[in-house]
């Protein structure tokens, strides 16, 4: 059997596909059950987060396994197989282990180094154990992945390479300013009471928000989370800078009212539809500002709109005596200014001496205009060109006009005064997949929305810490150790079966000795029995330890077959030992809730029996 993973993530698929392929808790359970019921797979586990869906399985056939797992993912996600296939990735055996350990360390996360993935791996393992779909391979894999992830965070500075998705999202909302300083004193609303929402609530509380409201479809869960936050962060501050947060719970029916009061909203629920529609957000903005919410015009910056009525004129010139038809030139210039994004402020809103004024003029009129400029018309605005310089420019244009018949309509863009951007009155962070907040709220003035899609774009260029290389080395070392342990574990049932056979031989010979020497007393019989067992243990110790070492090396899988052949071991006996070991592992893991990072198993470095280990 071999490890196979088939999945898609933010690295392989657009957010729109991930959003549609998101698996509910019930869908994950059904997917696991159907996977182990399929012919190629013996074990299965699902890792489903807001930016990845991965199905892990122990399969006996690669191609059949890929086909079956891909089909099952498509069936349970609701996305057609033909549409889903281009976004799927496949990892097998060593590459699958390497990928999973990288995921556990946060190297494959949207925000490099975030540690929340470890909790999600724990949850995935606990679910697989509860459904009895995780056997020896996946139990070992997931538990070692947890150890590798914890080692990466404790031995390196990978935490400095990135933050949790919550912290990263809040920093995006604050436009790069320190999130703690930006959040301090604000009113916050958290929608949802799951792991991500709880992390968001704790992050907001630590940042010092003045009020924290938790809304959830199950009010009891919201109430428990609010109570925990109030207990931890709601005490009166001992120092002026300490946190003092008012935390309370509300029902989902109260969200529209709370939305009107909140400055920051974080939403992460398991809902399949929108939790906050654009109309609901628009009503909240109207309730906060007292004016109807306005949509941004196309192409305008966030909150800037397209109003230019207060801008100063682009240039100033004296048109007294100018031979131009000012009304015609004004219309022409206005048309050109519209293309450049500037508004014309009457006849004095453009230069009667620059290229904009003479563009399209015939040669005769151009010469007349040049003569008028030569007669001393000046531009009194500081920093403008002198009439002599303008004369040279007009002469050059006249030469072009004589050749072409008309002056080419070319102009340089004039500087445009910047309109101050209003600060958003409502900041929204959507961490749900599929999305909780209607993407149309992007168009509302005074609203800033950051969602999974925008986080993916923002994190693509995020700098990576030097510690990432060290984590990669840790991952490579741990993959090699895992592979060696799996190869060694493969021979363990054979060695145990060999020991059991040797014990049976000793017991049979001692029984035969009793028949031949019935006069032996208990002390004599015990000494003989111990001596025979020690001889057998010493004879088997060196070869079994050596075969374990050889089996751990690449290509060592054949040593188990050789051992069975040399000692004529019964294949069913070996299989029975293997099943008993698997049952023991499952029992120990279940008793510890799936959160134990170690396990009790057969010590393959010391094959002496329990009875003999207790003797001198």
């Amino acid at each position: 059997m071999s490890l196979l993973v088939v999945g898609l993530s933010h690295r392989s698929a657009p957010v729109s596909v991930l959003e549609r392929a998101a698996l509910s808790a019930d869908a994950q359970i059904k997917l696991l059950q159907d996977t182990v019921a399929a012919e190629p797979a013996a074990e299965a586990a699902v890792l489903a987060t807001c930016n990845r869906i991965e199905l892990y399985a122990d399969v006996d056939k690669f191609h059949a396994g890929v086909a079956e797992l891909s089909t099952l993912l498509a069936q349970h996600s609701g996305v057609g197989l033909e549409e889903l296939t281009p976004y799927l990735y496949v990892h097998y055996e060593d590459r699958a282990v390497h990928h999973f350990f990288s995921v556990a360390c946060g190297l494959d996360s949207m925000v490099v180094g975030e540690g929340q993935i470890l909790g999600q791996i724990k949850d995935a393992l606990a679910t697989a154990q509860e459904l009895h779909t995780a056997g020896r391979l996946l139990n070992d894999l997931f538990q070692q992945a947890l150890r590798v992830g914890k080692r990466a965070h404790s031995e390196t500075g990978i935490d400095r390479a990135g933050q949790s998705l919550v912290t990263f999202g809040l920093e995006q909302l604050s436009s790069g300013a320190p999130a703690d300083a930006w959040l301090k004193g604000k009113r916050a609303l958290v929608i949802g009471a799951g792991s991500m929402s709880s992390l968001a609530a704790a992050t907001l509380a630590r940042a010092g928000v003045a009020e924290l409201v938790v809304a959830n479809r199950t009010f009891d869960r919201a109430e428990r989370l609010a109570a925990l936050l109030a207990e931890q962060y709601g005490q009166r501050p001992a120092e002026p800078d300490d946190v003092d947060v008012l935390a309370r719970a509300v029902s989902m029916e109260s969200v529209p009212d709370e939305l009107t009061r909140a400055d920051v909203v974080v939403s992460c629920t398991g809902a399949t539809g929108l939790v906050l529609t654009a109309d609901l957000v628009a009503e909240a903005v109207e309730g906060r500002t007292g004016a109807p919410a306005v949509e941004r015009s196309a192409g305008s910056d966030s909150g800037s709109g397209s109003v230019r009525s207060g801008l100063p004129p682009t240039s100033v010139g004296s048109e007294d005596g100018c031979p131009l038809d000012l009304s015609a030139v004004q219309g022409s210039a206005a048309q050109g200014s519209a293309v450049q994004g500037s508004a014309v402020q009457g006849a004095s809103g453009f230069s009667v001496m620059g290229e904009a004024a003479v563009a399209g003029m015939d040669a005769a009129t151009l010469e007349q205009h040049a003569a008028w400029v030569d007669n001393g018309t000046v531009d009194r605005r500081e920093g403008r060109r002198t009439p002599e310089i303008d004369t040279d420019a007009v002469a050059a244009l006249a030469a072009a006009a004589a050749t072409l018949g008309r002056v080419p309509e070319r102009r340089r863009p004039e500087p445009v005064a910047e309109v101050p951007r209003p600060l958003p009155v409502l900041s929204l962070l959507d961490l749900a997949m599929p999305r909780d907040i209607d993407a149309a709220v992007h168009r509302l003035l005074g609203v800033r929305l950051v969602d999974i899609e925008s986080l993916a774009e923002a994190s693509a260029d995020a700098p990576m810490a030097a510690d990432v290389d060290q984590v990669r080395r840790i991952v490579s070392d741990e993959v090699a150790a895992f592979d060696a342990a799996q190869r060694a574990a493969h021979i363990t049932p054979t060695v145990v079966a060999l020991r059991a056979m040797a014990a049976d031989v000793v017991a049979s010979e001692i029984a035969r000795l009793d028949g031949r020497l019935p006069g032996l007393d208990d002390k004599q019989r015990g000494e003989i029995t111990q001596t025979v067992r020690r001889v057998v243990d010493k004879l088997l110790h060196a070869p079994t330890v050596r075969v374990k070492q050889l089996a751990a090396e690449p290509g060592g899988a054949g040593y188990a077959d050789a051992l069975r052949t040399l000692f004529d071991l019964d294949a069913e006996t070996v299989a029975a030992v293997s099943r008993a070991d698997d049952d023991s592992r499952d029992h120990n893991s279940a008793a510890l809730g799936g959160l134990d990072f170690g396990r009790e198993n057969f010590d393959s470095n010391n094959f002496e029996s329990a009875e003999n280990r207790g003797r001198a």
Side-chain angles (χ1 to χ4, degrees), residues 459-547:
S459 64
D461 299 325
M464 297 177 67
D467 300 88
V468 168
D469 290 337
Q470 186 179 352
V471 173
R472 288 181 175 140
R473 289 192 292 271
I474 289 175
V475 168
S476 297
D477 292 344
E478 292 285 354
V479 169
F482 180 82
D483 289 344
Q486 289 299 305
R487 287 191 293 267
H490 181 69
I491 204 170
T492 297
T494 303
V495 173
V496 173
L498 174 60
R499 282 285 176 181
M501 184 189 73
D504 289 341
V505 171
V506 169
S508 176
E509 290 301 316
I510 294 298
R512 190 173 70 85
L513 182 63
D514 286 341
R516 298 182 62 180
L517 299 174
L520 292 175
D521 57 29
D522 292 342
K523 182 179 179 180
Q524 293 171 330
R525 184 182 297 104
E527 286 295 333
I528 294 172
T529 301
Q530 182 179 354
T531 299
V532 174
R533 284 175 174 169
R534 282 179 175 174
V535 170
V536 173
D537 284 338
K538 288 180 182 296
L539 288 174
L540 292 181
H541 178 74
T544 51
V545 170
R546 182 58 181 152
V547 78

Side-chain angles (χ1 to χ4, degrees), residues 316-318 351-354 369-381 383-396:
V316 180
S318 174
S351 172
V352 294
M353 295 180 294
H369 181 266
W372 172 74
V373 171
D374 282 338
N375 288 332
T377 302
V378 296
D379 187 342
R380 290 177 171 77
R381 197 168 67 177
R384 298 292 293 177
R385 292 182 296 174
T386 64
E388 290 76 13
I389 297 176
D390 277 345
T391 301
D392 294 339
V394 172

Side-chain angles (χ1 to χ4, degrees), residues 265-487:
V265 179
V266 180
S267 185
C268 185
T269 73
T272 55
L274 293 175
V275 176
L276 299 181
T277 63
D279 290 340
L280 186 61
V281 175
E283 291 174 5
V285 172
E286 183 176 353
R288 293 176 63 89
T289 63
V294 179
E295 289 193 2
R296 297 183 179 93
S297 59
S300 65
D301 198 0
S302 178
S304 64
S306 59
V307 180
R308 299 278 183 172
S309 58
L311 298 182
T314 58
S315 58
V316 180
S318 174
E319 67 272 15
D320 295 340
C322 179
L324 302 180
D325 180 358
L326 290 179
S327 60
V329 174
Q330 178 179 342
S332 174
Q335 184 178 5
S337 297
V339 174
Q340 303 251 352
S342 304
V344 177
Q345 305 296 316
S348 63
F350 57 91
S351 172
V352 294
M353 295 180 294
E355 292 183 24
V358 298
M361 191 183 299
D362 59 50
T365 307
L366 181 63
E367 290 178 0
Q368 185 182 6
H369 181 266
W372 172 74
V373 171
D374 282 338
N375 288 332
T377 302
V378 296
D379 187 342
R380 290 177 171 77
R381 197 168 67 177
E382 184 178 358
R384 298 292 293 177
R385 292 182 296 174
T386 64
E388 290 76 13
I389 297 176
D390 277 345
T391 301
D392 294 339
V394 172
L397 289 171
T403 304
L404 302 176
R406 296 184 70 83
V407 176
E409 296 195 20
R410 296 177 298 170
R411 58 178 301 182
R412 297 174 184 173
E414 297 279 358
V416 177
E418 290 291 335
V419 177
R421 224 169 52 166
L423 293 175
V425 298
L426 185 60
S427 300
L428 307 172
L429 177 58
D430 185 359
L431 298 175
M433 185 65 68
R435 72 182 75 228
D436 279 347
I437 303 174
D438 191 347
V441 305
H442 274 297
R443 299 197 298 264
L444 295 176
L445 282 171
V447 176
R448 178 164 172 76
L449 171 64
V450 171
D451 54 19
I452 292 294
E453 189 167 10
S454 58
L455 285 176
E457 295 172 358
S459 64
D461 299 325
M464 297 177 67
D467 300 88
V468 168
D469 290 337
Q470 186 179 352
V471 173
R472 288 181 175 140
R473 289 192 292 271
I474 289 175
V475 168
S476 297
D477 292 344
E478 292 285 354
V479 169
F482 180 82
D483 289 344
Q486 289 299 305
R487 287 191 293 267

Side-chain angles (χ1 to χ4, degrees), residues 121-318:
I121 291 174
K122 286 181 184 179
D123 293 342
L125 176 59
T127 300
Q129 289 174 338
E130 183 180 351
L131 297 173
H132 303 289
T133 63
R136 182 177 63 185
L137 175 61
L138 292 186
N139 270 300
D140 288 351
L141 176 72
F142 273 66
Q143 288 175 5
Q144 183 154 340
L146 292 170
R147 290 193 293 271
V148 174
K150 296 190 76 173
R151 179 187 170 192
H153 285 282
S154 63
E155 296 182 12
T156 75
I158 188 66
D159 292 1
R160 296 193 298 267
Q163 320 95 317
S164 72
L165 201 59
V166 172
T167 306
F168 188 64
L170 291 173
E171 288 190 354
Q172 294 301 306
L173 279 180
S174 64
S175 300
D180 288 358
W182 176 72
L183 287 168
K184 195 170 185 63
K186 284 183 167 57
R187 293 186 297 270
L189 170 64
V190 174
I191 304 176
S195 58
M196 181 75 81
S197 299
S198 300
L199 177 61
T203 303
L204 291 167
R206 284 194 300 269
V209 295
E211 182 184 39
L212 184 57
V213 179
V214 180
N216 193 58
R217 295 190 184 280
T218 305
F219 180 74
D220 289 346
R221 294 190 65 183
E223 201 169 33
R224 285 197 298 271
L225 178 56
L228 288 172
L229 294 169
E231 179 182 352
Q232 187 167 1
Y233 301 102
Q235 302 92 343
R236 295 302 304 171
E239 299 293 338
D241 294 335
D242 284 355
V243 174
D244 182 22
V245 178
L246 171 64
R248 57 189 177 88
V250 299
S251 64
M252 289 297 290
E253 289 72 18
S254 301
V255 166
D257 294 334
E258 297 297 337
L259 199 62
T260 304
R261 302 178 65 252
D263 301 307
V264 181
V265 179
V266 180
S267 185
C268 185
T269 73
T272 55
L274 293 175
V275 176
L276 299 181
T277 63
D279 290 340
L280 186 61
V281 175
E283 291 174 5
V285 172
E286 183 176 353
R288 293 176 63 89
T289 63
V294 179
E295 289 193 2
R296 297 183 179 93
S297 59
S300 65
D301 198 0
S302 178
S304 64
S306 59
V307 180
R308 299 278 183 172
S309 58
L311 298 182
T314 58
S315 58
V316 180
S318 174

